């Protein structure tokens, strides 16, 4: 049976009175409940904001740290280059040769354009820096490392004096005699064409002669080792120990030779 509009209004009014009475009786508890919920929500929002702020600070600190590390690396590189240059200037190398300083970026065995090379290094200077094929590569104290074999725009490949394609006219210290230094690979160099009837001392220096036309004279290759005289051989057999340590090879000088530049 349907209630009359008057009864409905009375019921609604009664319900409102009950709600107001309950609110009046438990207002403090309700306020506390709402406050707690509001506080939890505020804490969550604050913590979220703090977390975002912390993430931003960590990111900023990381970027600043990376920048500092990069600056330190640049400073160390500059210091090494300055030290290398001071050594060369101290020896008057710049008065004797026209030099381009470069850094070794790969050593001994590596792959370039799908080809594996041995007894070679890559340097970070190329055609754009004035490098040309066959330019000699030396250290600050006139130690011969090799010569430029391939030149690209911003880098070059250098064959070491131990490379199997390397063949250098040399002179032996205190003998006035000439011979040949032949690369055998794996950082080994053999002495060739030194007459067996001549005296050869262990530890004697081998250095470039002007006979070959590519290398300036007086560049040090290394010292004579493991001398052998074989009965049926016309020449003494010996090794030449390279004067440079490949593991420690870092910065080098490329010599701009006039003959090659003018070709």
């Amino acid at each position: 049976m349907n209630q009359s509009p008057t009864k409905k209004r009375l019921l609604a009014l009664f319900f409102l009175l009950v709600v107001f009475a309950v609110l009046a009786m438990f207002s403090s508890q309700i306020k506390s409940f709402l406050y707690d919920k509001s506080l939890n929500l505020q804490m969550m929002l604050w913590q979220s904001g703090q977390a975002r702020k912390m993430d931003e600070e960590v990111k900023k600190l990381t970027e600043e740290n990376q920048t500092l590390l990069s600056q330190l690396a640049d400073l160390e590189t500059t210091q090494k280059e300055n030290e290398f240059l001071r050594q060369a200037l101290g020896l008057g190398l710049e008065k004797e040769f026209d030099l381009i300083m470069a850094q070794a970026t790969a050593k001994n065995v590596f792959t370039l354009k799908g080809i594996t090379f041995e007894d070679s290094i890559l340097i970070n200077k190329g055609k754009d820096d004035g490098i040309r094929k066959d330019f000699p590569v030396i250290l600050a104290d006139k130690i011969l490392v090799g010569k430029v074999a391939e030149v690209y725009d911003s880098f070059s490949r250098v064959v070491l004096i131990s490379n199997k394609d390397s063949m250098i006219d040399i002179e032996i210290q205190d003998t006035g005699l000439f011979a040949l230094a032949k690369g055998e690979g794996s950082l080994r160099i053999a002495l060739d064409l030194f007459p067996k009837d001549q005296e050869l001392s262990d530890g004697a220096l081998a250095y470039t002669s002007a006979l070959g036309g590519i290398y300036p004279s007086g560049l040090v290759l290394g010292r004579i080792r493991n001398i052998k005289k074989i009965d049926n051989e016309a020449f003494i057999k010996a090794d030449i120990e390279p004067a440079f340590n490949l593991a420690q090879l870092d910065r080098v000088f490329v010599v701009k030779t006039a003959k090659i530049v003018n070709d």
Side-chain angles (χ1 to χ4, degrees):
M1 184 174 173
N2 295 331
Q3 295 179 346
S4 65
T6 301
K7 286 184 178 181
K8 289 182 179 180
R9 284 195 291 273
L10 288 173
L11 287 172
L13 181 60
F14 176 76
F15 178 74
L16 288 174
L17 289 172
V18 171
V19 170
F20 287 139
V22 171
L23 289 175
M25 291 174 62
F26 301 100
S27 60
S28 60
Q29 292 89 336
I30 293 173
K31 288 179 181 178
S32 178
F33 173 79
L34 293 175
Y35 176 77
D36 289 342
K37 295 300 181 185
S38 173
L39 183 61
N40 290 337
L41 180 60
Q42 291 178 43
M43 287 293 293
M44 290 173 60
L45 293 173
W46 182 82
Q47 289 173 354
S48 176
Q50 288 295 103
R52 283 197 298 271
K53 184 178 179 182
M54 187 175 294
D55 287 342
E56 290 173 359
E57 290 179 353
V58 169
K59 181 180 179 182
K60 183 179 179 181
L61 287 173
T62 301
E63 291 174 349
E64 290 176 352
N65 186 49
Q66 290 172 344
T67 301
L68 286 173
L69 289 174
S70 177
Q71 291 173 348
L72 284 172
D74 290 341
L75 179 61
E76 184 178 356
T77 298
T78 302
Q79 288 176 337
K80 287 182 178 179
E81 289 178 351
N82 289 340
E83 182 180 349
F84 193 66
L85 281 171
R86 279 196 298 271
Q87 184 182 359
L89 293 173
L91 295 172
L93 206 61
E94 84 289 353
K95 298 177 183 178
E96 191 172 354
F97 303 115
D98 188 2
L99 303 171
I100 301 172
M101 188 170 67
Q103 184 172 11
T105 57
K107 302 177 187 179
N108 197 18
V109 182
F110 54 84
T111 300
L112 176 64
K113 296 184 179 297
I115 302 174
T116 299
F117 293 97
E118 298 182 7
D119 290 85
S120 297
I121 63 171
L122 290 181
I123 58 173
N124 66 343
K125 296 294 175 67
K127 189 183 300 182
D128 295 342
D129 305 287
I131 304 293
R132 298 291 181 268
K133 185 179 179 182
D134 288 336
F135 276 0
V137 178
I138 65 174
L139 298 181
D141 38 8
K142 296 180 68 173
I143 291 175
L144 181 62
V145 173
K147 69 176 182 178
V148 176
E150 294 178 285
V151 184
Y152 302 89
D153 290 340
S154 59
F155 68 97
S156 303
R157 182 174 71 89
V158 175
V159 293
L160 301 177
I161 55 177
S162 59
N163 190 282
K164 290 181 179 179
D165 293 331
S166 177
M167 193 172 296
I168 305 169
D169 289 285
I170 60 173
E171 186 174 353
I172 306 301
Q173 178 188 24
D174 297 331
T175 66
L177 297 174
F178 298 93
L180 200 64
K182 297 174 64 175
E184 294 190 322
S186 301
L187 304 178
R188 291 180 288 109
I189 309 168
L191 175 70
D192 196 15
L193 302 183
F194 190 90
K196 190 165 63 175
D197 59 349
Q198 300 294 325
E199 289 299 320
L200 180 63
S201 301
D202 184 84
L205 278 177
Y207 48 88
T208 55
S209 74
L211 297 178
I214 291 179
Y215 299 104
S217 61
L219 300 177
V220 177
L221 275 78
R223 293 190 179 276
I224 302 298
R225 301 296 186 198
N226 305 320
I227 300 171
K228 296 177 182 177
K229 291 186 178 181
I230 303 174
D231 291 339
N232 59 348
E233 295 284 347
F235 302 102
I236 289 176
K237 298 293 183 182
D239 298 327
I240 301 176
E241 181 182 56
F244 65 86
N245 185 332
L246 183 63
Q248 297 176 354
L249 193 66
D250 185 14
R251 283 159 182 78
V252 297
F253 283 119
V254 181
V255 180
K256 297 173 67 175
T257 55
K259 175 183 181 302
I260 299 171
V261 170
N262 294 332
D263 282 349

